[in-house]
Structure formats: structure tokens, C-alpha cells
Amino acid sequence: MELLKQRIIEEGVIISDQVLKLDGLLNHQVDPQLTMEMGREFAARFKESGITRVLTVESSGIAVAFATAYELGVPLVFARRKKTLLADEDAYCERVPSFTKGIVTDIMLSRQFLNSEDRVLFIDDIIANGDAARGLIKIIERSGAELVGLGIVVEKCFQAGARTIREQGITLESLVKIESLTNGTITFGE
């Protein structure tokens, strides 16, 4: 997605050889037009898959997942990272490390919103090590739902997350692949 690549070049901040800050696009501020364009792209890639729900993990994946769900005409469901007073006591739960936060969190999803009849598209903002993705995949498997695929806005190819997901035989579509952040330069992949 050339528009997204251009915006990453213009607004992305390279923190280290491992970390790219995209606060102006995905993680703090959201550009509605760009987000809807990303949703249209994911919807086009998965339109023939019979998706019944789009799933993500709060919070950075919600905007793009919403745009995708809107384009597909299906509900968006997001896994929570914090338990609330109103949380479903019988929710699906997985403990996952967060690469960017540097902590381990629980992701929770109410059983009410995912069942064995569902065909799920998992959308997220960035995949690095893939821990959150693997956690949500486990929840999907336990629910009996079928995971149709993953849509990732930015794939960091120099980290193992996307590769390990694909090695499980799961379809993973990325809008942008980044091969390297070495020497303060963003190198895109194909």
C-alpha cells in the first residue's frame, strides 16, 4: 500500500533497530481517511472468505479492525487487556507478553461474542514477535471458531512473529512489510 508507505516515511519515528513509533498514524492519533482505506484493502483481500466477525486486541488495532468490519458488514469484537468490574467471569483468557510495552498482560474475550459458528478475521496494527497474535489464536481455537486469516498493517519482517504464524499454515496479509530499521533507515520489503 504505497500511501501507507509514504505516511510511514513522513511520520514514522525510528526509536531503535527494533522499534518504529507510528503514533501519528496508528498508535495515538488516527487518520480516519487512511484508516478507512486500510479497512477497504483488508476487506478486499478477504471478501470471499465468509467472515462473520472481525477480531482484534485493544487498543491500537481497534480503528483498522473497525474500518475492516464496516467494509465487510460484520461485527467487530476486541479482546480486552484489563479486567473490569463488568468483565465476564467465564471469558476466554490468555497471558501474553507485549513487545512494545515490555510487560506481560492478560487478554480476555467474552464467550458471548465468539462461538463455533464464526469465521474470524483477526486484524492488528503491527506484528513483531507475534505474542499477542498467538494468544488470540489460542482463544479462537478454544472457542471452536474458524480463523480465516490475519490482516496486519505493518509487518516487521526482521522479527519472527509473522513467519511463525505463517508456519502454522495461517494466512497472514500485511499492508506494509518492513525489512529493516538499521542505521535509522526504513527499508521496505515486498
Side-chain angles (χ1 to χ4, degrees):
M1 209 176 151
E2 290 306 313
L3 174 60
L4 180 57
K5 284 182 183 179
Q6 189 57 43
R7 294 289 298 277
I8 290 170
I9 290 168
E10 292 169 4
E11 299 177 43
V13 177
I14 298 170
I15 304 298
S16 71
D17 287 356
Q18 300 291 308
V19 179
L20 176 64
K21 188 175 178 181
L22 296 172
D23 280 3
L25 299 175
L26 291 171
N27 306 118
H28 203 62
Q29 172 176 275
V30 175
D31 177 325
Q33 288 78 25
L34 177 61
T35 301
M36 291 307 293
E37 192 61 39
M38 290 186 284
R40 279 189 284 280
E41 181 63 28
F42 282 132
R45 292 183 188 194
F46 290 97
K47 71 180 175 195
E48 303 300 324
S49 301
I51 307 297
T52 62
R53 294 190 192 275
V54 172
L55 207 58
T56 194
V57 178
E58 72 176 356
S59 67
S60 296
I62 292 175
V64 177
F66 172 84
T68 305
Y70 177 81
E71 290 296 323
L72 290 169
V74 300
L76 161 65
V77 179
F78 60 91
R80 295 183 181 274
R81 289 191 182 269
K82 293 181 181 164
K83 194 171 189 172
T84 68
L85 292 175
L86 303 174
D88 181 353
E89 291 297 321
D90 192 32
Y92 298 110
C93 186
E94 277 296 319
R95 183 154 279 215
V96 297
S98 170
F99 176 77
T100 51
K101 292 180 179 82
I103 60 171
V104 175
T105 63
D106 289 329
I107 57 173
M108 294 158 281
L109 184 66
S110 175
R111 292 174 187 267
Q112 174 183 354
F113 301 115
L114 189 63
N115 63 61
S116 62
E117 306 296 312
D118 285 315
R119 293 178 52 80
V120 176
L121 174 58
F122 174 20
I123 299 289
D124 211 358
D125 60 337
I126 298 173
I127 191 163
N129 292 328
D131 295 314
R134 280 189 295 278
L136 199 53
I137 289 167
K138 286 179 185 176
I139 287 173
I140 294 166
E141 289 170 348
R142 281 206 320 271
S143 77
E146 181 180 351
L147 175 61
V148 172
L150 272 73
I152 303 293
V153 176
V154 176
E155 176 182 339
K156 291 163 62 180
C157 300
F158 53 89
Q159 290 175 288
R163 180 179 44 78
T164 61
I165 300 295
R166 287 186 181 108
E167 286 172 354
Q168 294 177 49
I170 297 170
T171 299
L172 189 148
E173 293 278 339
S174 302
L175 298 183
V176 169
K177 293 181 179 182
I178 296 178
E179 294 290 340
S180 170
L181 297 171
T182 305
N183 298 323
T185 302
I186 301 169
T187 304
F188 292 106
E190 296 305 318

